Amino acid sequence: MKFKILLVSLFILMIMNALAQEIKRVEPPNWWIGMENPNVQLLIYGDNIAELNVSIKNKDLKLLKVNKTENKNYLFLDLEISKTAKAGIININFKKENKSFNYEYELKKRENNPDNHKGFYSSDAIYLIMPDRFSNGNPENDNVEGMLEKADRNNPDGRHGGDLQGIRNNLKYISDLGFTAIWINPVLENNMPRTTYHGYAITDFYKIDPRHGSNQDYKQLVDESHKNGLKVIMDMVFNHCGSSHWWMKDLPSKDWLHQFPEFTRTNYRAPVVSDPYSSEIDDKLIEKGWFDITMPDLNQDNKFLANYLIQNSIWWIEYSGIDGIRMDTYPYPEKNMMANWVKAVLKEYPKFNIVGETWLQKESMTAYWQKDAKNKDGYNSHLPSVTDFPIHFSLIKALNNEDTWTGGIMELYYVLAQDFVYTNPNLNLIFPDNHDLRRIYSSLNHNYNKFKIAMAFILTTRGIPQIYYGTEILMDGNDFDGHGQIRQDFPGGWKGDKINAFKQENLSKEKIEAFNYVKKLLNWRKNKDVIHNGKLKHFIPENSVYVYFRYTENQAVMIIINKNNSKLVNTKRFSEILNKYSKAVDIISDEKITDLENIWMEGLSVRILELEK
Ligand code: CA
């Protein structure tokens, strides 16, 4: 008889387990008490889960609504967490007829004050890292069982093994160089058959790719970065996911993605979104076309997906302690949802900052995407920072093209003369290049003098400077040779590398000089409020000499760019600033200048002069 009872109990247990096993995913995997927004929406995924009745018996957690889609394998639960809720496990009860089981959902205590997520501003200098190509701190994770693509360092488009441990090992190198923040290209799981090293084809929004490390490693990296004086900016992608994403085999609803009878590519023409004359077909393709055959386009008009993405970013901020976000392809997703996302994040973290990738050719098109822009269509992105591609294009043209009435060095004058279109140009992200562009040293035809001018300009004009890894040692590469060429391995990041740039071992003389130049500039810039927040005044270039000042009431820095042969530059024209000062220090050569009336300029050179009374 006892045996029979035991058998029956076992049988009941098995049924209960069978029910329990139906839950394959709950996302977000946990949430926190004491958030500004008391609501959270859980995605529950499991076989026929929608056939179960859901209930929560807890005074601190109210089940507001159970949402179902056309797919019975999904439920979306609207929860409200009370202000007095305590951290701990909440039982979510799933019941079918007389069988039921509990899912234990964890509400955690917040580890950080929301204001500890500090944002990134013009007082920062950002080092951009492509993690697969920076440093292989853990060769053990180069190949991971279950991950489709294996490491192949000989393939420019393959995985090379760089990881979070590699970044952790070199935080001091980055902070000693003078940077105050790192932007790491996406590190979430990209379990795709090929070309996944760049991270932009996400297959799990809640998991760091095991070839980069674990979620815990990411959190650890953020902690250690903070201890080294570095903020962390996470790269996120809402426009698309990878075609091997787990939900692709069983979508929550047909409208989770933008779907077409046959593969339909985006037109990649971001200007369409703000174009007052755009056609319906162009509007449709920019927003709804797929970024690539391997990158299905997410439909942010689906309110469950919108909640999913918003919560996903808040989850990463809260979990890992990051300071900012760089959002990929900002103009491509549905733009009102993106604005709601920015508002939701900044409501939780008022000091946080977000830069949206706005890859546009023109100033006005870029300005459209910045918070509070006076757009005629009434659109407000709420996005504080935009990527200033016009500065990037103008810088290269200014240094490479012949000086004419409107060309050459005039490009720099004209690009800044259009700053009236921006709500706050000092929040623009400025860069000589990035992971998608020809490396600056190649753009400047390996001209070291031009390189020095480019770096001086980016680190002294308005905005938030971002420098791509390896720029400090003159790494080169052309985008037209394939993206692998602009994302080469950082020398010294792999065991056995002949050159170790982390220690300046076996670097050429010129590369060491470049390293010291960048290091000196960055460390000088670090504490110069006049560069971070001072006003900017520039003078129309004359005879290929461009002069601008960063200044406050009592401080001024004079920057002189000379594209011509060596000469004495008469400074009478700049007296409206200079008349308050009598001498200067050249912050690159340390030379003291006692006569400001005529300043010597070498051919094709730049000087940064800190003025003194
Ligand atoms: Ca590795």
Side-chain angles (χ1 to χ4, degrees):
M1 195 62 189
K2 267 187 182 171
F3 181 67
K4 232 178 179 178
I5 291 170
L6 189 71
L7 261 185
V8 171
S9 319
L10 262 174
F11 185 58
I12 290 169
L13 263 174
M14 276 167 70
I15 292 173
M16 284 174 65
N17 277 338
L19 262 177
Q21 279 163 5
E22 284 178 343
I23 292 198
K24 292 175 181 162
R25 281 177 186 267
V26 174
E27 290 178 348
N30 71 277
W31 204 246
W32 289 269
I33 55 166
M35 300 296 281
E36 181 70 24
N37 177 359
N39 298 325
V40 62
Q41 184 173 72
L42 305 189
L43 174 154
I44 314 277
Y45 179 55
D47 293 337
N48 295 313
I49 197 76
E51 290 176 354
L52 307 189
N53 285 316
V54 187
S55 63
I56 297 173
K57 283 194 186 104
N58 188 300
K59 66 178 172 44
D60 287 328
L61 192 74
K62 211 189 283 173
L63 178 60
L64 299 177
K65 196 175 174 200
V66 177
N67 303 282
K68 296 179 184 181
T69 67
E70 74 228 26
N71 183 342
K72 281 185 176 177
N73 297 334
Y74 287 87
L75 280 175
F76 292 88
L77 307 183
D78 291 339
L79 307 180
E80 184 184 330
I81 303 163
S82 84
K83 284 227 176 330
T84 55
K86 289 194 172 62
I89 299 293
I90 301 285
N91 285 318
I92 304 175
N93 188 264
F94 292 84
K95 194 173 176 197
K96 191 180 180 187
E97 289 152 14
N98 54 358
K99 290 167 253 165
S100 81
F101 68 91
N102 286 329
Y103 182 86
E104 295 186 341
Y105 191 74
E106 190 178 8
L107 289 179
K108 292 186 175 174
K109 194 172 176 293
R110 301 182 75 174
E111 285 177 34
N112 284 307
N113 182 306
D115 287 346
N116 288 355
H117 305 266
K118 291 196 166 56
F120 54 94
Y121 297 96
S122 51
S123 52
D124 288 304
I126 303 165
Y127 193 65
L128 165 58
I129 298 170
M130 173 69 64
D132 182 61
R133 303 298 167 86
F134 186 59
S135 172
N136 189 358
N138 179 12
E140 301 280 297
N141 66 13
D142 292 3
N143 296 298
V144 173
E145 211 186 314
M147 292 290 114
L148 300 173
E149 191 181 6
K150 303 300 172 200
D152 178 7
R153 229 186 138 192
N154 296 318
N155 177 0
D157 297 320
R159 284 198 167 253
H160 291 188
D163 47 37
L164 298 179
Q165 188 59 51
I167 301 174
R168 286 164 68 182
N169 293 345
N170 293 296
L171 292 170
K172 199 172 171 322
Y173 168 82
I174 300 165
S175 64
D176 282 353
L177 250 174
F179 289 99
T180 63
I182 49 176
W183 155 21
I184 308 167
N185 287 130
V187 284
L188 295 182
E189 185 194 89
N190 270 232
N191 196 9
M192 304 277 288
R194 65 188 69 84
T195 331
T196 64
Y197 72 93
H198 53 62
Y200 288 96
I202 295 168
T203 55
D204 188 331
F205 282 93
Y206 281 98
K207 189 179 163 200
I208 297 290
D209 194 295
R211 291 161 294 189
H212 288 311
S214 64
N215 286 10
Q216 186 60 34
D217 289 332
Y218 190 79
K219 187 176 156 74
Q220 199 70 29
L221 165 63
V222 176
D223 281 352
E224 290 167 11
S225 298
H226 289 164
K227 283 177 187 140
N228 279 280
L230 297 166
K231 298 169 175 178
V232 178
I233 301 163
M234 190 171 187
D235 203 332
M236 293 190 179
V237 192
F238 281 6
N239 180 62
H240 49 263
C241 62
S243 51
S244 307
H245 190 286
W246 63 265
W247 60 38
M248 290 300 293
K249 288 193 187 114
D250 190 23
L251 290 173
S253 54
K254 190 166 181 284
D255 71 353
W256 197 255
L257 306 175
H258 289 121
Q259 307 216 43
F260 298 86
E262 55 194 41
F263 172 67
T264 303
R265 200 179 276 281
T266 175
N267 51 26
Y268 306 103
R269 298 282 183 183
V272 165
V273 187
S274 55
D275 176 2
Y277 310 119
S278 66
S279 63
E280 282 168 31
I281 176 84
D282 292 343
D283 284 342
K284 182 178 164 181
L285 288 182
I286 178 66
E287 187 194 325
K288 299 178 178 171
W290 287 25
F291 206 78
D292 193 82
I293 204 155
T294 57
M295 294 175 177
D297 196 73
L298 296 170
N299 175 18
Q300 296 80 16
D301 278 328
N302 179 305
K303 62 182 179 178
F304 300 122
L305 176 63
N307 284 336
Y308 181 93
L309 294 171
I310 291 169
Q311 291 177 169
N312 177 256
S313 58
I314 292 174
W315 189 89
W316 277 108
I317 299 168
E318 195 62 29
Y319 171 77
S320 69
I322 53 170
D323 302 283
I325 291 172
R326 178 269 186 186
M327 177 53 72
D328 191 49
T329 54
Y330 195 84
Y332 287 63
E334 202 286 312
K335 65 182 179 180
N336 293 304
M337 179 271 165
M338 294 305 282
N340 290 337
W341 165 68
V342 174
K343 279 196 283 184
V345 170
L346 297 182
K347 200 175 167 206
E348 291 290 346
Y349 310 97
K351 296 201 171 156
F352 202 76
N353 192 21
I354 301 173
V355 57
E357 183 201 21
T358 47
W359 190 338
L360 293 144
Q361 311 294 318
K362 307 277 186 190
E363 295 78 353
S364 54
M365 293 169 178
T366 310
Y368 177 87
W369 295 100
Q370 195 168 45
K371 183 186 177 181
D372 297 337
K374 301 273 183 291
N375 293 325
K376 284 191 174 172
D377 64 1
Y379 179 66
N380 187 348
S381 73
H382 291 275
L383 181 68
S385 286
V386 290
T387 50
D388 199 331
F389 278 83
I391 287 273
H392 156 76
F393 296 124
S394 302
L395 176 61
I396 291 165
K397 283 190 276 185
L399 294 176
N400 284 345
N401 296 356
E402 194 189 331
D403 294 348
T404 62
W405 183 252
T406 55
I409 195 69
M410 280 303 293
E411 297 275 356
L412 286 185
Y413 182 83
Y414 278 167
V415 70
L416 288 165
Q418 292 179 73
D419 267 6
F420 64 88
V421 297
Y422 294 109
T423 316
N424 187 351
N426 209 28
L427 284 178
N428 287 13
L429 192 80
I430 53 173
F431 43 92
D433 61 16
N434 66 27
H435 62 293
D436 287 324
L437 300 165
R438 187 182 311 170
R439 279 191 176 267
I440 185 68
Y441 199 49
S442 293
S443 288
L444 300 175
N445 304 312
H446 298 85
N447 183 313
Y448 182 56
N449 284 357
K450 288 183 183 176
F451 172 83
K452 285 202 285 189
I453 298 172
M455 297 306 290
F457 175 75
I458 289 293
L459 294 175
T460 57
T461 191
R462 96 297 189 267
I464 310 169
Q466 167 251 294
I467 307 288
Y468 188 34
Y469 79 96
T471 303
E472 71 275 19
I473 51 157
L474 304 176
M475 278 176 71
D476 56 5
N478 288 307
D479 52 334
F480 50 73
D481 293 333
H483 275 170
Q485 297 308 314
I486 54 176
R487 301 165 180 175
Q488 294 184 47
D489 298 345
F490 189 86
W494 277 253
K495 213 175 166 187
D497 282 358
K498 287 198 179 71
I499 295 171
N500 186 348
F502 290 117
K503 295 178 174 166
Q504 295 85 57
E505 280 171 11
N506 298 330
L507 281 177
S508 72
K509 196 170 151 262
E510 194 171 52
K511 283 174 193 270
I512 288 178
E513 201 187 318
F515 172 86
N516 288 327
Y517 176 80
V518 172
K519 184 177 178 179
K520 190 160 194 181
L521 264 179
L522 281 166
N523 279 289
W524 168 78
R525 188 189 189 279
K526 219 183 224 178
N527 300 310
K528 288 291 161 210
D529 184 58
V530 65
I531 300 291
H532 307 160
N533 298 306
K535 291 180 181 171
L536 172 67
K537 181 176 292 214
H538 63 173
F539 294 77
I540 300 166
E542 274 184 14
N543 302 319
S544 299
V545 174
Y546 177 47
V547 170
Y548 61 97
F549 293 85
R550 301 301 305 276
Y551 67 105
T552 61
E553 192 81 4
N554 297 308
Q555 272 184 301
V557 176
M558 181 184 196
I559 298 99
I560 311 171
I561 295 172
N562 175 29
K563 268 187 77 189
N564 216 323
N565 297 328
S566 57
K567 62 180 160 192
L568 268 178
V569 174
N570 182 279
T571 64
K572 200 175 164 198
R573 199 158 61 99
F574 319 119
S575 66
E576 61 192 272
I577 300 258
L578 282 181
N579 61 13
K580 285 172 82 174
Y581 299 93
S582 64
K583 52 191 179 181
V585 176
D586 182 320
I587 70 102
I588 298 162
S589 68
D590 298 323
E591 185 195 342
K592 290 187 170 57
I593 297 170
T594 49
D595 174 12
L596 291 179
E597 265 175 53
N598 292 291
I599 296 173
W600 177 253
M601 291 297 297
E602 295 292 340
L604 194 57
S605 72
V606 61
R607 294 190 90 166
I608 301 172
L609 306 179
E610 207 168 342
L611 300 173
E612 292 171 2
K613 291 192 173 165

